[in-house]
Amino acid sequence: MKRFTALLLIIIFAFLLCSCESSKSDIYIDEMYALDTIITFKVYGDLEEAKKAVESSKKEINRLENLLSVNGDGDIKKINENDDAVSVADETYALIKKSLDISKKTDGAFDITIYPVMKLWGFADKNYKVPTQKEIDSTLENVGYDKVKLLSDNKVSCDKGVELDLGAVAKGYIADKVSDIIKDSNLSAVINLGGNVVTVGKKPNGESFTVGISYPEDTTDYFCTVKMEYKNAVTSGAYQRYFDENGVRYHHIMDPKSGEPIDSDISSVTVFSDDTALSDAYSTALYVMGIDKSVDFVKDEDNLSVCILNKDKSKLFVSEKTAKNISLQDEYKDIEIVII
Ligand code: AMP
Ligand code: MG
């Protein structure tokens, strides 16, 4: 009898050990610093496969950062340093084309020729300064998406002095490339690239993933959660990058027409869609456009959905498609939800 009890205990212990290990291998968590932000991976499935997929993702992020960032050594740097037409990779050409199309659709609220303005305000090298009106006026002579020409054979030509900055769209594009890698490995995941959240598949229990949207000014807290119906959620807001001078806050989302940080009536805008580059570009564009124009614009767009928190954080404008999936956290229940 004693031997039987001992055997039973060994079996129970072995079972407990197995179940602990299998629940551990269900989720693989990792992070890296790239694209000027912390990128987090939460991957569900086989632990070894997840690890491999995350390693490939990290390589892809580094490759694309080099290709698409103003600080890299690839296509964007080549374009910015040359006055003549420059031949670029297919994917760079396609992303610039997509960006110029969005500029046209948003009447220039979104404009990748913003880089000279970013440099002027010190956002390029973090040597922040408030420029004079004269400096702003002369810098604006080199801003305007009509100063970029897409030629045959993947050639891009910019007017002299024009420089590109894909900072408002590249993270989204890269997020989709990473999600393809995870998907090809038959894993599911939530990946957060500094405000660009992309999901792959469903939770292990078959439910959709839920993401939290940061409360502006306190990014450790989130004011609502959204059950994901679309693939991604991308948030823009002035609180994400700024400097203060003489009691005034200057942030990183510029009005391409005035060459100054836009004085928006939005505190944060989140765009949901199945194309993360698109969500990324539109979250920036809508922030520039403000609430009224954004609400009008979004009504005509079938492939995206939004939630927009107004400046005093009292109202949340939510697309009808997303309203059923959104829930306010207890301490933010006073926010009025306005369905658009
Ligand atoms: P996001 O964080 O996606 O809203 O993008 C902000 C970044 O995009 C800035 O740090 C700039 O690099 C760039 N940017 C700023 N203003 C604009 C604009 N109006 N259109 C396109 N890109 C912009
Ligand atoms: Mg953006």
Side-chain angles (χ1 to χ4, degrees):
M1 188 62 193
K2 257 190 197 163
R3 267 172 66 189
F4 176 74
T5 315
L7 193 66
L8 195 68
L9 281 174
I10 289 170
I11 292 170
I12 291 171
F13 184 67
F15 174 76
L16 285 176
L17 209 67
C18 284
S19 42
C20 284
E21 277 183 354
S22 76
S23 69
K24 252 193 202 163
S25 69
D26 276 341
I27 174 163
Y28 179 76
I29 298 178
D30 202 353
E31 63 177 38
M32 74 185 286
Y33 188 84
L35 306 167
D36 215 11
T37 191
I38 293 171
I39 299 174
T40 57
F41 303 86
K42 271 189 190 175
V43 185
Y44 298 80
D46 180 81
L47 192 64
E48 278 306 310
E49 282 300 316
K51 198 173 170 193
K52 268 195 248 162
V54 168
E55 289 314 314
S56 311
S57 301
K58 287 181 178 176
K59 278 193 194 136
E60 181 68 345
I61 290 169
N62 289 331
R63 180 186 76 81
L64 288 167
E65 177 166 26
N66 192 46
L67 187 73
L68 302 173
S69 159
V70 286
N71 300 317
D73 207 5
D75 284 347
I76 295 304
K77 187 175 181 189
K78 259 199 308 187
I79 293 172
N80 289 352
E81 286 185 351
N82 277 287
D83 289 336
D84 305 326
V86 162
S87 192
V88 297
D90 290 353
E91 57 190 333
T92 311
Y93 192 85
L95 193 57
I96 293 174
K97 179 167 189 327
K98 187 174 212 155
S99 300
L100 296 179
D101 289 345
I102 293 172
S103 291
K104 279 181 208 134
K105 279 194 78 171
T106 61
D107 196 20
F110 180 82
D111 196 326
I112 55 169
T113 64
I114 203 72
Y115 195 49
V117 174
M118 302 312 292
K119 286 204 293 192
L120 183 66
W121 287 83
F123 282 99
D125 58 4
K126 299 193 170 84
N127 263 324
Y128 305 114
K129 68 161 184 126
V130 180
T132 62
Q133 190 58 48
K134 208 170 152 204
E135 287 174 314
I136 294 175
D137 291 343
S138 68
T139 302
L140 281 176
E141 285 170 18
N142 294 324
V143 174
Y145 64 93
D146 56 337
K147 301 180 195 311
V148 185
K149 304 277 175 306
L150 293 175
L151 312 175
S152 55
D153 302 326
N154 278 5
K155 286 210 171 86
V156 181
S157 142
C158 293
D159 290 1
K160 199 168 181 298
V162 171
E163 290 176 278
L164 306 186
D165 174 357
L166 299 181
V169 63
K171 254 190 258 167
Y173 174 74
I174 296 171
D176 275 346
K177 290 283 159 187
V178 170
S179 75
D180 288 346
I181 293 173
I182 307 280
K183 200 169 158 196
D184 289 347
S185 306
N186 290 319
L187 299 158
S188 56
V190 180
I191 305 132
N192 188 345
L193 297 91
N196 287 237
V197 179
V198 62
T199 63
V200 184
K202 304 250 179 203
K203 284 197 251 179
N205 66 6
E207 287 176 11
S208 299
F209 285 110
T210 298
V211 306
I213 300 181
S214 293
Y215 190 66
E217 325 304 345
D218 179 8
T219 48
T220 58
D221 200 7
Y222 51 93
F223 69 97
C224 71
T225 57
V226 185
K227 206 167 139 206
M228 295 293 280
E229 200 174 343
Y230 291 93
K231 178 181 172 186
N232 59 56
V234 181
T235 304
S236 283
Y239 64 93
Q240 291 173 334
R241 200 174 310 162
Y242 58 82
F243 68 95
D244 293 312
E245 198 173 297
N246 296 328
V248 182
R249 178 151 294 181
Y250 301 95
H251 64 80
H252 71 309
I253 303 178
M254 298 290 166
D255 177 355
K257 302 208 165 67
S258 71
E260 292 174 47
I262 184 82
D263 184 14
S264 180
D265 58 358
I266 293 174
S267 66
S268 108
V269 42
T270 301
V271 178
F272 308 91
S273 82
D274 292 323
D275 174 340
T276 318
L278 197 82
S279 290
D280 194 0
Y282 277 126
S283 68
T284 311
L286 298 184
Y287 188 85
V288 174
M289 286 157 71
I291 296 174
D292 290 347
K293 275 193 188 165
S294 294
V295 168
D296 276 355
F297 182 85
V298 168
K299 276 184 183 153
D300 296 332
E301 295 294 313
D302 291 334
N303 54 350
L304 52 89
S305 180
V306 296
C307 79
I308 302 173
L309 188 62
N310 69 346
K311 197 165 190 172
D312 70 10
K313 305 177 201 72
S314 59
K315 286 186 181 164
L316 187 65
F317 296 85
V318 184
S319 300
E320 209 171 351
K321 298 169 241 184
T322 298
K324 62 180 184 305
N325 295 323
I326 215 158
S327 77
L328 292 170
Q329 295 294 97
D330 281 347
E331 68 263 47
Y332 298 104
K333 287 274 190 237
D334 287 348
I335 297 176
E336 182 194 343
I337 292 191
V338 182
I339 297 178
I340 56 175

